[in-house]
Amino acid sequence: MKISAEDIVNRAKALYEARAARDPIAPFTDADPTLGMEDGYAIQRELVAMLAADGDRVVGYKAGLTSAPMQNMFGVDTPDYGPVLASTVHPCGASVSRDDFISPKVEAEIVFRLGAPLKGPGVTVREARGAIAEVMAGLEIVDSRIEHWRIRLADTIADLASNGAVVLAPPVTPAADCDFRLIGMAFSHNGECVATGAGAAALGDPVAVVAWLANVLGEHGVTLGAGQLVMTGALHAAVSMDSGDTFIAEFDRLGAVTMRVDGTRVAG
């Protein structure tokens, strides 16, 4: 990590204010292209502390960059992660406001809730599978407080891995023999199927995402707790979101998750 404690606070504050005002900021990497992953996580931790001071709380974590094409785009060979905040979790069928976001897009993914804690490093996929209590169909709203999505790796990590919100279907208790890699999904936007995917798109196996996350967090002394959510990554390319839109993702074994968008339509 190369940035100073003062820079960490100042950049976290800039993101905090951008979130509050819905007014994006220039990428940090414009001013300093050498910023890296650890710099991004340092800013992220400071931003989370600011949001927690406002009364929000971390109820889980999301993994991003879990597909090979996305990793290639950012020139990395590992996913990234960010917190899931209680204020951003919505039930199936929710109406969310376009006005709450800057430049939102929607992705469908598999979401787990843990029934037992996982503390890395050294967590195996088998151990991660044993800790999963429930699985849900999810719609993630990704959003960027960085203008025009001009993000490099440090920018998106600092910005809570571009996390905006999540809509969750009712939970399902997975069968012991459920292979999450093979769960198929069809994603519809305003009644038209615009994407399909399967669980294997997330790091080859969504359960491997849980193990990876537990191990990375464990390196920083953080335990994935019982009851926490793990969002395992998009199964398809994100689709832009605007007022009046309806999104539905239909999953094998998990059922469907739906969301409607209210608020002000963005011109163009």
Side-chain angles (χ1 to χ4, degrees):
M1 190 171 68
K2 65 179 292 295
I3 57 176
S4 68
E6 182 180 6
D7 282 342
I8 290 170
V9 172
N10 288 340
R11 292 175 187 188
K13 185 177 180 181
L15 284 170
Y16 176 91
E17 292 173 348
R19 292 172 65 88
R22 314 288 191 263
D23 187 13
I25 60 176
F28 299 137
T29 53
D30 274 4
D32 187 355
T34 67
L35 288 176
M37 181 178 288
E38 289 307 311
D39 301 307
Y41 283 124
I43 298 167
Q44 181 191 111
R45 287 190 290 272
E46 183 66 25
L47 175 58
V48 171
M50 293 177 179
L51 296 169
D54 288 342
D56 218 332
R57 60 190 177 89
V58 175
V59 295
Y61 292 87
K62 65 154 288 185
L65 309 181
T66 53
S67 69
M70 289 301 294
Q71 290 180 14
N72 291 338
M73 182 184 302
F74 282 88
V76 297
D77 59 2
T78 183
D80 68 351
Y81 69 84
V84 178
L85 300 171
S87 64
T88 68
V89 179
H90 304 277
C92 185
S95 292
V96 300
S97 175
R98 172 65 180 79
D99 299 338
D100 288 343
F101 305 95
I102 295 172
S103 184
K105 306 173 189 289
V106 182
E107 305 170 342
E109 57 192 84
I110 293 171
V111 182
F112 296 121
R113 180 175 281 115
L114 299 184
L118 287 171
K119 182 173 179 59
V123 173
T124 66
V125 172
R126 181 185 180 91
E127 290 168 338
R129 179 65 175 84
I132 293 168
E134 297 174 332
V135 58
M136 291 154 277
L139 291 171
E140 182 183 4
I141 302 172
V142 291
D143 195 24
S144 184
R145 276 57 63 171
I146 306 298
E147 60 187 11
H148 308 306
W149 281 96
R150 293 193 302 110
I151 51 175
R152 297 182 185 176
L153 185 62
D155 300 308
T156 184
I157 289 174
D159 189 22
L160 308 189
S162 302
N163 196 5
V166 62
V167 176
L168 297 176
V172 174
T173 300
D177 62 351
C178 181
D179 189 339
F180 297 106
R181 299 172 301 175
L182 304 182
I183 290 179
M185 181 279 306
F187 179 79
S188 297
H189 176 212
N190 295 335
E192 178 185 358
C193 183
V194 294
T196 58
L203 210 61
D205 182 349
V207 181
V209 176
V210 179
W212 172 85
L213 183 59
N215 289 328
V216 171
L217 290 173
E219 292 173 0
H220 296 95
V222 178
T223 299
L224 270 179
Q228 286 195 320
L229 301 171
V230 178
M231 298 167 59
T232 60
L235 305 184
H236 61 95
V239 175
S240 293
M241 175 184 119
D242 210 341
S243 178
D245 285 345
T246 299
F247 295 93
I248 303 174
E250 299 170 279
F251 287 77
D252 294 337
R253 306 192 188 194
L254 308 184
V257 57
T258 65
M259 176 184 79
R260 177 172 171 79
V261 187
D262 298 325
T264 306
R265 177 167 289 276
V266 176

mmCIF file of all heavy atoms in Angstrom, residues 149-183:
data_model
loop_
_atom_site.group_PDB
_atom_site.id
_atom_site.type_symbol
_atom_site.label_atom_id
_atom_site.label_comp_id
_atom_site.label_asym_id
_atom_site.label_seq_id
_atom_site.Cartn_x
_atom_site.Cartn_y
_atom_site.Cartn_z
ATOM 1 N N TRP A 149 -18.500 5.317 -15.067
ATOM 2 C CA TRP A 149 -17.944 3.965 -14.896
ATOM 3 C C TRP A 149 -16.499 3.878 -15.392
ATOM 4 O O TRP A 149 -16.048 2.815 -15.825
ATOM 5 C CB TRP A 149 -18.805 2.919 -15.614
ATOM 6 C CG TRP A 149 -20.043 2.507 -14.878
ATOM 7 C CD1 TRP A 149 -21.300 3.013 -15.048
ATOM 8 C CD2 TRP A 149 -20.163 1.494 -13.870
ATOM 9 N NE1 TRP A 149 -22.192 2.399 -14.203
ATOM 10 C CE2 TRP A 149 -21.524 1.454 -13.473
ATOM 11 C CE3 TRP A 149 -19.261 0.621 -13.276
ATOM 12 C CZ2 TRP A 149 -22.000 0.576 -12.511
ATOM 13 C CZ3 TRP A 149 -19.730 -0.252 -12.308
ATOM 14 C CH2 TRP A 149 -21.081 -0.287 -11.935
ATOM 15 N N ARG A 150 -15.749 4.948 -15.302
ATOM 16 C CA ARG A 150 -14.346 4.935 -15.760
ATOM 17 C C ARG A 150 -13.446 4.371 -14.657
ATOM 18 O O ARG A 150 -12.541 5.023 -14.152
ATOM 19 C CB ARG A 150 -13.885 6.334 -16.163
ATOM 20 C CG ARG A 150 -14.563 6.898 -17.388
ATOM 21 C CD ARG A 150 -13.854 8.128 -17.937
ATOM 22 N NE ARG A 150 -13.746 9.223 -16.977
ATOM 23 C CZ ARG A 150 -12.612 9.622 -16.410
ATOM 24 N NH1 ARG A 150 -11.471 9.008 -16.677
ATOM 25 N NH2 ARG A 150 -12.609 10.636 -15.556
ATOM 26 N N ILE A 151 -13.702 3.144 -14.296
ATOM 27 C CA ILE A 151 -13.043 2.560 -13.136
ATOM 28 C C ILE A 151 -11.872 1.662 -13.515
ATOM 29 O O ILE A 151 -11.917 0.930 -14.502
ATOM 30 C CB ILE A 151 -14.039 1.758 -12.278
ATOM 31 C CG1 ILE A 151 -14.833 0.763 -13.144
ATOM 32 C CG2 ILE A 151 -14.976 2.692 -11.538
ATOM 33 C CD1 ILE A 151 -15.750 -0.145 -12.342
ATOM 34 N N ARG A 152 -10.837 1.767 -12.704
ATOM 35 C CA ARG A 152 -9.799 0.751 -12.657
ATOM 36 C C ARG A 152 -9.986 -0.013 -11.350
ATOM 37 O O ARG A 152 -10.865 0.286 -10.554
ATOM 38 C CB ARG A 152 -8.414 1.393 -12.748
ATOM 39 C CG ARG A 152 -8.171 2.121 -14.070
ATOM 40 C CD ARG A 152 -6.785 2.703 -14.142
ATOM 41 N NE ARG A 152 -6.604 3.490 -15.358
ATOM 42 C CZ ARG A 152 -5.501 4.170 -15.636
ATOM 43 N NH1 ARG A 152 -4.477 4.167 -14.802
ATOM 44 N NH2 ARG A 152 -5.416 4.874 -16.766
ATOM 45 N N LEU A 153 -9.135 -0.997 -11.127
ATOM 46 C CA LEU A 153 -9.355 -1.912 -10.009
ATOM 47 C C LEU A 153 -9.430 -1.179 -8.668
ATOM 48 O O LEU A 153 -10.345 -1.419 -7.868
ATOM 49 C CB LEU A 153 -8.245 -2.963 -9.973
ATOM 50 C CG LEU A 153 -8.418 -4.058 -8.918
ATOM 51 C CD1 LEU A 153 -9.686 -4.858 -9.174
ATOM 52 C CD2 LEU A 153 -7.199 -4.978 -8.905
ATOM 53 N N ALA A 154 -8.497 -0.275 -8.391
ATOM 54 C CA ALA A 154 -8.498 0.416 -7.098
ATOM 55 C C ALA A 154 -9.752 1.263 -6.915
ATOM 56 O O ALA A 154 -10.264 1.391 -5.795
ATOM 57 C CB ALA A 154 -7.250 1.287 -6.965
ATOM 58 N N ASP A 155 -10.255 1.825 -8.015
ATOM 59 C CA ASP A 155 -11.459 2.658 -7.925
ATOM 60 C C ASP A 155 -12.672 1.833 -7.513
ATOM 61 O O ASP A 155 -13.426 2.219 -6.613
ATOM 62 C CB ASP A 155 -11.744 3.331 -9.277
ATOM 63 C CG ASP A 155 -10.625 4.225 -9.745
ATOM 64 O OD1 ASP A 155 -10.199 5.092 -8.971
ATOM 65 O OD2 ASP A 155 -10.175 4.045 -10.895
ATOM 66 N N THR A 156 -12.896 0.715 -8.179
ATOM 67 C CA THR A 156 -14.093 -0.075 -7.867
ATOM 68 C C THR A 156 -14.004 -0.706 -6.492
ATOM 69 O O THR A 156 -14.993 -0.774 -5.754
ATOM 70 C CB THR A 156 -14.370 -1.142 -8.942
ATOM 71 O OG1 THR A 156 -15.596 -1.811 -8.623
ATOM 72 C CG2 THR A 156 -13.269 -2.153 -9.068
ATOM 73 N N ILE A 157 -12.808 -1.148 -6.082
ATOM 74 C CA ILE A 157 -12.668 -1.716 -4.738
ATOM 75 C C ILE A 157 -12.977 -0.658 -3.686
ATOM 76 O O ILE A 157 -13.732 -0.903 -2.737
ATOM 77 C CB ILE A 157 -11.255 -2.294 -4.537
ATOM 78 C CG1 ILE A 157 -11.078 -3.566 -5.371
ATOM 79 C CG2 ILE A 157 -11.007 -2.602 -3.055
ATOM 80 C CD1 ILE A 157 -9.673 -4.133 -5.342
ATOM 81 N N ALA A 158 -12.410 0.528 -3.837
ATOM 82 C CA ALA A 158 -12.668 1.599 -2.876
ATOM 83 C C ALA A 158 -14.149 1.909 -2.780
ATOM 84 O O ALA A 158 -14.677 2.171 -1.690
ATOM 85 C CB ALA A 158 -11.888 2.846 -3.283
ATOM 86 N N ASP A 159 -14.842 1.829 -3.898
ATOM 87 C CA ASP A 159 -16.262 2.160 -4.001
ATOM 88 C C ASP A 159 -17.144 0.956 -3.669
ATOM 89 O O ASP A 159 -18.151 0.690 -4.331
ATOM 90 C CB ASP A 159 -16.543 2.687 -5.411
ATOM 91 C CG ASP A 159 -17.942 3.262 -5.570
ATOM 92 O OD1 ASP A 159 -18.550 3.646 -4.557
ATOM 93 O OD2 ASP A 159 -18.414 3.314 -6.718
ATOM 94 N N LEU A 160 -16.751 0.207 -2.636
ATOM 95 C CA LEU A 160 -17.522 -0.962 -2.157
ATOM 96 C C LEU A 160 -17.749 -1.979 -3.259
ATOM 97 O O LEU A 160 -18.816 -2.614 -3.330
ATOM 98 C CB LEU A 160 -18.861 -0.535 -1.541
ATOM 99 C CG LEU A 160 -18.826 0.541 -0.462
ATOM 100 C CD1 LEU A 160 -20.194 0.677 0.189
ATOM 101 C CD2 LEU A 160 -17.758 0.279 0.574
ATOM 102 N N ALA A 161 -16.749 -2.153 -4.142
ATOM 103 C CA ALA A 161 -16.861 -3.077 -5.268
ATOM 104 C C ALA A 161 -18.073 -2.743 -6.143
ATOM 105 O O ALA A 161 -18.723 -3.618 -6.696
ATOM 106 C CB ALA A 161 -16.907 -4.529 -4.812
ATOM 107 N N SER A 162 -18.357 -1.437 -6.258
ATOM 108 C CA SER A 162 -19.466 -0.928 -7.082
ATOM 109 C C SER A 162 -20.818 -1.487 -6.650
ATOM 110 O O SER A 162 -21.730 -1.641 -7.462
ATOM 111 C CB SER A 162 -19.220 -1.203 -8.572
ATOM 112 O OG SER A 162 -18.010 -0.618 -9.002
ATOM 113 N N ASN A 163 -20.960 -1.758 -5.374
ATOM 114 C CA ASN A 163 -22.215 -2.309 -4.861
ATOM 115 C C ASN A 163 -23.255 -1.206 -4.705
ATOM 116 O O ASN A 163 -22.958 -0.130 -4.193
ATOM 117 C CB ASN A 163 -21.969 -2.983 -3.512
ATOM 118 C CG ASN A 163 -23.102 -3.904 -3.096
ATOM 119 O OD1 ASN A 163 -24.042 -4.116 -3.858
ATOM 120 N ND2 ASN A 163 -23.008 -4.457 -1.914
ATOM 121 N N GLY A 164 -24.483 -1.473 -5.173
ATOM 122 C CA GLY A 164 -25.565 -0.531 -5.027
ATOM 123 C C GLY A 164 -26.669 -1.049 -4.128
ATOM 124 O O GLY A 164 -27.022 -0.428 -3.123
ATOM 125 N N ALA A 165 -27.232 -2.215 -4.476
ATOM 126 C CA ALA A 165 -28.309 -2.817 -3.693
ATOM 127 C C ALA A 165 -28.494 -4.248 -4.168
ATOM 128 O O ALA A 165 -27.908 -4.662 -5.177
ATOM 129 C CB ALA A 165 -29.606 -2.026 -3.838
ATOM 130 N N VAL A 166 -29.336 -4.990 -3.455
ATOM 131 C CA VAL A 166 -29.653 -6.360 -3.862
ATOM 132 C C VAL A 166 -31.108 -6.657 -3.520
ATOM 133 O O VAL A 166 -31.622 -6.203 -2.493
ATOM 134 C CB VAL A 166 -28.713 -7.385 -3.193
ATOM 135 C CG1 VAL A 166 -28.838 -7.362 -1.680
ATOM 136 C CG2 VAL A 166 -28.953 -8.789 -3.734
ATOM 137 N N VAL A 167 -31.771 -7.386 -4.414
ATOM 138 C CA VAL A 167 -33.135 -7.865 -4.201
ATOM 139 C C VAL A 167 -33.057 -9.384 -4.115
ATOM 140 O O VAL A 167 -32.480 -10.029 -5.005
ATOM 141 C CB VAL A 167 -34.059 -7.426 -5.348
ATOM 142 C CG1 VAL A 167 -35.455 -8.008 -5.165
ATOM 143 C CG2 VAL A 167 -34.117 -5.901 -5.432
ATOM 144 N N LEU A 168 -33.629 -9.949 -3.061
ATOM 145 C CA LEU A 168 -33.482 -11.378 -2.791
ATOM 146 C C LEU A 168 -34.821 -12.098 -2.819
ATOM 147 O O LEU A 168 -35.802 -11.642 -2.225
ATOM 148 C CB LEU A 168 -32.835 -11.598 -1.423
ATOM 149 C CG LEU A 168 -31.415 -11.059 -1.239
ATOM 150 C CD1 LEU A 168 -30.966 -11.261 0.199
ATOM 151 C CD2 LEU A 168 -30.457 -11.749 -2.208
ATOM 152 N N ALA A 169 -34.845 -13.259 -3.485
ATOM 153 C CA ALA A 169 -36.007 -14.147 -3.453
ATOM 154 C C ALA A 169 -36.066 -14.843 -2.094
ATOM 155 O O ALA A 169 -35.082 -14.857 -1.346
ATOM 156 C CB ALA A 169 -35.898 -15.174 -4.580
ATOM 157 N N PRO A 170 -37.200 -15.447 -1.753
ATOM 158 C CA PRO A 170 -37.266 -16.225 -0.513
ATOM 159 C C PRO A 170 -36.206 -17.318 -0.504
ATOM 160 O O PRO A 170 -35.890 -17.910 -1.540
ATOM 161 C CB PRO A 170 -38.680 -16.822 -0.546
ATOM 162 C CG PRO A 170 -39.465 -15.859 -1.389
ATOM 163 C CD PRO A 170 -38.502 -15.383 -2.434
ATOM 164 N N PRO A 171 -35.620 -17.602 0.648
ATOM 165 C CA PRO A 171 -34.534 -18.589 0.709
ATOM 166 C C PRO A 171 -35.008 -20.015 0.497
ATOM 167 O O PRO A 171 -36.144 -20.366 0.811
ATOM 168 C CB PRO A 171 -33.969 -18.393 2.118
ATOM 169 C CG PRO A 171 -35.110 -17.844 2.907
ATOM 170 C CD PRO A 171 -35.886 -16.982 1.951
ATOM 171 N N VAL A 172 -34.099 -20.817 -0.004
ATOM 172 C CA VAL A 172 -34.320 -22.242 -0.225
ATOM 173 C C VAL A 172 -33.241 -23.009 0.536
ATOM 174 O O VAL A 172 -32.067 -22.603 0.541
ATOM 175 C CB VAL A 172 -34.233 -22.580 -1.732
ATOM 176 C CG1 VAL A 172 -34.303 -24.086 -1.963
ATOM 177 C CG2 VAL A 172 -35.331 -21.861 -2.503
ATOM 178 N N THR A 173 -33.623 -24.090 1.192
ATOM 179 C CA THR A 173 -32.627 -24.961 1.818
ATOM 180 C C THR A 173 -32.118 -25.924 0.759
ATOM 181 O O THR A 173 -32.894 -26.725 0.219
ATOM 182 C CB THR A 173 -33.238 -25.750 2.990
ATOM 183 O OG1 THR A 173 -33.739 -24.832 3.969
ATOM 184 C CG2 THR A 173 -32.189 -26.646 3.639
ATOM 185 N N PRO A 174 -30.835 -25.863 0.411
ATOM 186 C CA PRO A 174 -30.346 -26.687 -0.699
ATOM 187 C C PRO A 174 -30.274 -28.164 -0.336
ATOM 188 O O PRO A 174 -29.959 -28.526 0.803
ATOM 189 C CB PRO A 174 -28.949 -26.118 -0.962
ATOM 190 C CG PRO A 174 -28.520 -25.540 0.345
ATOM 191 C CD PRO A 174 -29.772 -25.017 0.994
ATOM 192 N N ALA A 175 -30.588 -29.012 -1.307
ATOM 193 C CA ALA A 175 -30.427 -30.448 -1.128
ATOM 194 C C ALA A 175 -28.944 -30.778 -0.988
ATOM 195 O O ALA A 175 -28.078 -30.068 -1.507
ATOM 196 C CB ALA A 175 -31.015 -31.195 -2.320
ATOM 197 N N ALA A 176 -28.660 -31.842 -0.276
ATOM 198 C CA ALA A 176 -27.266 -32.217 -0.023
ATOM 199 C C ALA A 176 -26.492 -32.462 -1.306
ATOM 200 O O ALA A 176 -25.278 -32.233 -1.364
ATOM 201 C CB ALA A 176 -27.228 -33.456 0.869
ATOM 202 N N ASP A 177 -27.186 -32.912 -2.352
ATOM 203 C CA ASP A 177 -26.496 -33.236 -3.602
ATOM 204 C C ASP A 177 -26.607 -32.113 -4.640
ATOM 205 O O ASP A 177 -26.281 -32.316 -5.813
ATOM 206 C CB ASP A 177 -27.035 -34.537 -4.197
ATOM 207 C CG ASP A 177 -28.518 -34.450 -4.547
ATOM 208 O OD1 ASP A 177 -29.163 -33.452 -4.165
ATOM 209 O OD2 ASP A 177 -29.029 -35.379 -5.211
ATOM 210 N N CYS A 178 -27.051 -30.936 -4.237
ATOM 211 C CA CYS A 178 -27.222 -29.835 -5.186
ATOM 212 C C CYS A 178 -25.861 -29.387 -5.713
ATOM 213 O O CYS A 178 -24.950 -29.064 -4.939
ATOM 214 C CB CYS A 178 -27.935 -28.669 -4.517
ATOM 215 S SG CYS A 178 -28.208 -27.267 -5.620
ATOM 216 N N ASP A 179 -25.727 -29.359 -7.017
ATOM 217 C CA ASP A 179 -24.517 -28.865 -7.660
ATOM 218 C C ASP A 179 -24.803 -27.453 -8.159
ATOM 219 O O ASP A 179 -25.450 -27.258 -9.194
ATOM 220 C CB ASP A 179 -24.125 -29.780 -8.819
ATOM 221 C CG ASP A 179 -22.753 -29.444 -9.389
ATOM 222 O OD1 ASP A 179 -22.288 -28.298 -9.181
ATOM 223 O OD2 ASP A 179 -22.146 -30.313 -10.045
ATOM 224 N N PHE A 180 -24.326 -26.477 -7.428
ATOM 225 C CA PHE A 180 -24.640 -25.086 -7.745
ATOM 226 C C PHE A 180 -24.039 -24.634 -9.075
ATOM 227 O O PHE A 180 -24.497 -23.661 -9.657
ATOM 228 C CB PHE A 180 -24.159 -24.173 -6.621
ATOM 229 C CG PHE A 180 -24.836 -24.425 -5.308
ATOM 230 C CD1 PHE A 180 -24.164 -25.068 -4.282
ATOM 231 C CD2 PHE A 180 -26.150 -24.054 -5.102
ATOM 232 C CE1 PHE A 180 -24.780 -25.313 -3.073
ATOM 233 C CE2 PHE A 180 -26.786 -24.295 -3.897
ATOM 234 C CZ PHE A 180 -26.098 -24.933 -2.881
ATOM 235 N N ARG A 181 -23.039 -25.350 -9.543
ATOM 236 C CA ARG A 181 -22.450 -25.012 -10.851
ATOM 237 C C ARG A 181 -23.455 -25.174 -11.977
ATOM 238 O O ARG A 181 -23.365 -24.487 -13.007
ATOM 239 C CB ARG A 181 -21.242 -25.908 -11.133
ATOM 240 C CG ARG A 181 -20.104 -25.792 -10.145
ATOM 241 C CD ARG A 181 -19.055 -26.846 -10.398
ATOM 242 N NE ARG A 181 -19.618 -28.189 -10.304
ATOM 243 C CZ ARG A 181 -18.946 -29.311 -10.571
ATOM 244 N NH1 ARG A 181 -17.683 -29.237 -10.989
ATOM 245 N NH2 ARG A 181 -19.524 -30.486 -10.446
ATOM 246 N N LEU A 182 -24.409 -26.076 -11.796
ATOM 247 C CA LEU A 182 -25.322 -26.447 -12.873
ATOM 248 C C LEU A 182 -26.657 -25.728 -12.797
ATOM 249 O O LEU A 182 -27.544 -25.994 -13.618
ATOM 250 C CB LEU A 182 -25.546 -27.964 -12.852
ATOM 251 C CG LEU A 182 -24.279 -28.828 -12.937
ATOM 252 C CD1 LEU A 182 -24.640 -30.306 -12.945
ATOM 253 C CD2 LEU A 182 -23.455 -28.469 -14.165
ATOM 254 N N ILE A 183 -26.825 -24.848 -11.837
ATOM 255 C CA ILE A 183 -28.086 -24.104 -11.737
ATOM 256 C C ILE A 183 -28.158 -23.097 -12.876
ATOM 257 O O ILE A 183 -27.324 -22.195 -12.991
ATOM 258 C CB ILE A 183 -28.202 -23.397 -10.384
ATOM 259 C CG1 ILE A 183 -28.401 -24.439 -9.280
ATOM 260 C CG2 ILE A 183 -29.359 -22.394 -10.386
ATOM 261 C CD1 ILE A 183 -28.508 -23.853 -7.886
#
